Amino acid sequence: MKHARKELVFDTPERRAYLNITPEVQAFVRESGIEHGLCLVNPMHITAAVYVNDAESGLIQDYDDWLERLAPHEPISQYRHNNGEDNADAHLKRQLMGHQVVLAITDGRLDLGPWEQVFYAEFDGRRRKRVLLKAIGD
Amino acid sequence: MKHARKELVFDTPERRAYLNITPEVQAFVRESGIEHGLCLVNPMHITAAVYVNDAESGLIQDYDDWLERLAPHEPISQYRHNNGEDNADAHLKRQLMGHQVVLAITDGRLDLGPWEQVFYAEFDGRRRKRVLLKAIGD
Amino acid sequence: MKHARKELVFDTPERRAYLNITPEVQAFVRESGIEHGLCLVNPMHITAAVYVNDAESGLIQDYDDWLERLAPHEPISQYRHNNGEDNADAHLKRQLMGHQVVLAITDGRLDLGPWEQVFYAEFDGRRRKRVLLKAIGD
């Protein structure tokens, strides 16, 4: 069995950002030499999510509006976690979007449907964050 | 290490549908010959989800009502993605339900709890959709 | 390829509870002897979730309040599943929190970020429940 590990690093200038990281994950899989296996894509921080969906700017704005409606940033005082912090909403938003994804590797490549793109969703940016890539297979 | 891959194909007559695919996934695992491993069940389309929960018709209706409340289909114009499309809500609903699942394989079978059933949730049907099954193990 | 399997058992006195199970998962990984691989942490019951987030009591209360707002327990009669049951909300809450997680194993340990902790979220306690741990790797 082969295995590979890599960290991607992000530091977004905005509090919230949605970054298409499909090329980086694809490159990692290629470098791993794994032909058939599974690849975990997991934010190492708890105020960010990794999800799979469409690389379409209108949809990304829809996600952002919707997450703000279901888990609003303000008023900050509505959350008990915001005791010296202001990022409680980011912990909630990341659960809504699904936290992490596992991707299939087939014939040495990510086995994605026609519109599946891998996104890093930052909900508490303006600091250094990491995403863990871990692949196993043959 | 062994690996196996299969696509399930769906074309539901309704916009939204909830299909119990546990027998199909179980059959795939059996055919793979894998005794111990992991099985990814992943919709290849971004307006559908795969989730694990109860095969109980009242609950399925509860899920449908609840998803409509948290991510309503109408008015279509509330979503920026609906520019020539009408399926933005489907992209939201699929994130709520959790996108994909990974299942354990033990002694050649899906290692499920007593009520765990695997569902394909379609939120933008009336077209051909695929679900990817990928298993690795020994 | 190595593989390992274990069940954790819980029986919480409250209907809802949030238990940090990181030490139990870490011990399982150590006992497995797997140096590099993936570890699935999956509730075997459909009214509970496993998620990764902060071990901070204010945040846990925020999650509980928020889940009650998005998927309230009462009135029980609002759910069709509650036909002799009262736990429909628990099936909804578990989907919101994300059901299950897959964790990377690196150098024989869980490969977690600085604040990542693994939680068992019980939404319909006061009965015996199990969580499945399944790891594969080398």
Side-chain angles (χ1 to χ4, degrees):
Chain A
M1 203 201 72
K2 289 179 185 167
H3 61 87
R5 181 194 191 276
K6 188 177 186 174
E7 293 180 10
L8 304 178
V9 180
F10 303 98
D11 192 343
T12 67
E14 313 84 11
R15 180 184 294 275
R16 297 203 299 274
Y18 303 83
L19 308 177
N20 188 340
I21 61 172
T22 316
E24 285 86 348
V25 183
Q26 193 68 266
F28 164 72
V29 167
R30 206 161 35 230
E31 291 159 18
S32 76
I34 294 172
E35 290 290 309
H36 292 279
L38 296 176
C39 177
L40 172 67
V41 189
N42 183 69
M44 302 187 76
H45 302 264
I46 53 190
T47 51
V50 170
Y51 72 94
V52 167
N53 218 297
D54 203 358
E56 196 277 308
S57 63
L59 180 67
I60 290 170
Q61 189 61 53
D62 290 334
Y63 274 134
D64 196 66
D65 292 349
W66 178 67
L67 291 167
E68 260 298 283
R69 199 161 63 244
L70 295 187
H73 180 63
E74 299 198 326
I76 287 167
S77 62
Q78 76 189 290
Y79 301 110
R80 300 177 200 214
H81 182 61
N82 287 339
N83 185 1
E85 300 264 13
D86 67 353
N87 66 3
D89 66 299
H91 293 273
L92 277 52
K93 287 180 169 94
R94 99 84 164 246
Q95 296 304 131
L96 274 177
M97 285 305 277
H99 172 195
Q100 63 177 197
V101 296
V102 174
L103 305 172
I105 302 170
T106 300
D107 296 328
R109 292 178 54 79
L110 289 177
D111 196 339
L112 296 175
W115 302 99
E116 285 190 295
Q117 295 286 297
V118 189
F119 277 83
Y120 174 69
E122 175 63 78
F123 300 120
D124 186 35
R126 302 182 289 196
R127 64 187 81 185
R128 192 173 171 277
K129 299 280 197 84
R130 291 176 292 155
V131 168
L132 174 65
L133 308 178
K134 181 96 186 189
I136 66 171
D138 263 352
Chain B
M1 204 201 73
K2 289 179 184 168
H3 61 87
R5 180 193 191 278
K6 187 176 186 175
E7 293 179 11
L8 304 178
V9 179
F10 303 98
D11 192 342
T12 67
E14 312 85 11
R15 180 184 295 274
R16 296 202 299 273
Y18 302 83
L19 308 177
N20 187 340
I21 62 172
T22 316
E24 285 85 347
V25 182
Q26 193 69 266
F28 164 73
V29 167
R30 208 161 33 232
E31 291 160 18
S32 77
I34 294 171
E35 290 289 311
H36 292 280
L38 296 175
C39 177
L40 172 68
V41 188
N42 183 69
M44 302 186 75
H45 301 264
I46 52 189
T47 51
V50 170
Y51 73 93
V52 167
N53 219 297
D54 203 357
E56 196 277 308
S57 62
L59 181 67
I60 289 170
Q61 189 61 53
D62 289 335
Y63 275 134
D64 196 66
D65 292 350
W66 178 66
L67 291 167
E68 259 299 282
R69 200 159 64 244
L70 294 187
H73 181 62
E74 298 197 325
I76 287 167
S77 61
Q78 77 190 289
Y79 301 110
R80 301 177 200 214
H81 182 61
N82 287 339
N83 184 1
E85 301 265 12
D86 68 354
N87 66 2
D89 67 300
H91 293 272
L92 275 53
K93 288 181 168 93
R94 99 85 163 243
Q95 296 304 131
L96 275 177
M97 286 304 276
H99 172 196
Q100 63 177 197
V101 296
V102 174
L103 305 171
I105 303 170
T106 300
D107 297 329
R109 292 179 54 79
L110 289 178
D111 195 339
L112 296 175
W115 303 99
E116 286 191 294
Q117 295 285 299
V118 190
F119 277 83
Y120 173 70
E122 175 62 79
F123 300 120
D124 186 35
R126 302 183 289 198
R127 64 186 81 184
R128 192 173 171 278
K129 299 280 196 86
R130 291 176 292 154
V131 168
L132 174 64
L133 309 178
K134 181 95 187 189
I136 66 171
D138 262 355
Chain C
M1 203 200 73
K2 289 178 183 166
H3 61 88
R5 181 193 190 278
K6 187 176 187 175
E7 293 180 10
L8 303 179
V9 179
F10 303 98
D11 192 343
T12 68
E14 312 85 11
R15 181 185 294 275
R16 297 202 298 275
Y18 303 83
L19 308 177
N20 187 339
I21 62 171
T22 316
E24 286 85 347
V25 183
Q26 193 69 266
F28 163 73
V29 167
R30 209 162 31 232
E31 292 159 17
S32 76
I34 294 172
E35 289 290 310
H36 291 280
L38 295 176
C39 177
L40 172 68
V41 188
N42 183 70
M44 302 187 76
H45 301 264
I46 52 189
T47 51
V50 169
Y51 72 93
V52 168
N53 219 296
D54 203 356
E56 195 278 310
S57 62
L59 181 66
I60 290 170
Q61 190 61 54
D62 289 334
Y63 275 134
D64 196 66
D65 292 349
W66 178 67
L67 291 167
E68 259 299 282
R69 201 161 62 244
L70 294 186
H73 181 62
E74 298 198 325
I76 286 166
S77 62
Q78 75 190 290
Y79 301 110
R80 301 178 199 214
H81 182 61
N82 287 339
N83 185 0
E85 301 263 14
D86 68 353
N87 65 3
D89 66 300
H91 294 272
L92 275 53
K93 288 180 169 93
R94 99 85 163 245
Q95 296 303 131
L96 274 177
M97 285 305 277
H99 171 197
Q100 63 177 197
V101 297
V102 174
L103 305 171
I105 303 170
T106 300
D107 296 329
R109 291 180 54 81
L110 290 178
D111 196 339
L112 296 175
W115 302 99
E116 287 191 293
Q117 295 286 298
V118 190
F119 276 83
Y120 173 69
E122 175 62 79
F123 301 120
D124 185 36
R126 303 182 289 196
R127 63 187 81 185
R128 192 173 171 278
K129 300 279 197 86
R130 292 176 291 154
V131 168
L132 174 65
L133 308 179
K134 180 95 189 190
I136 65 172
D138 262 354

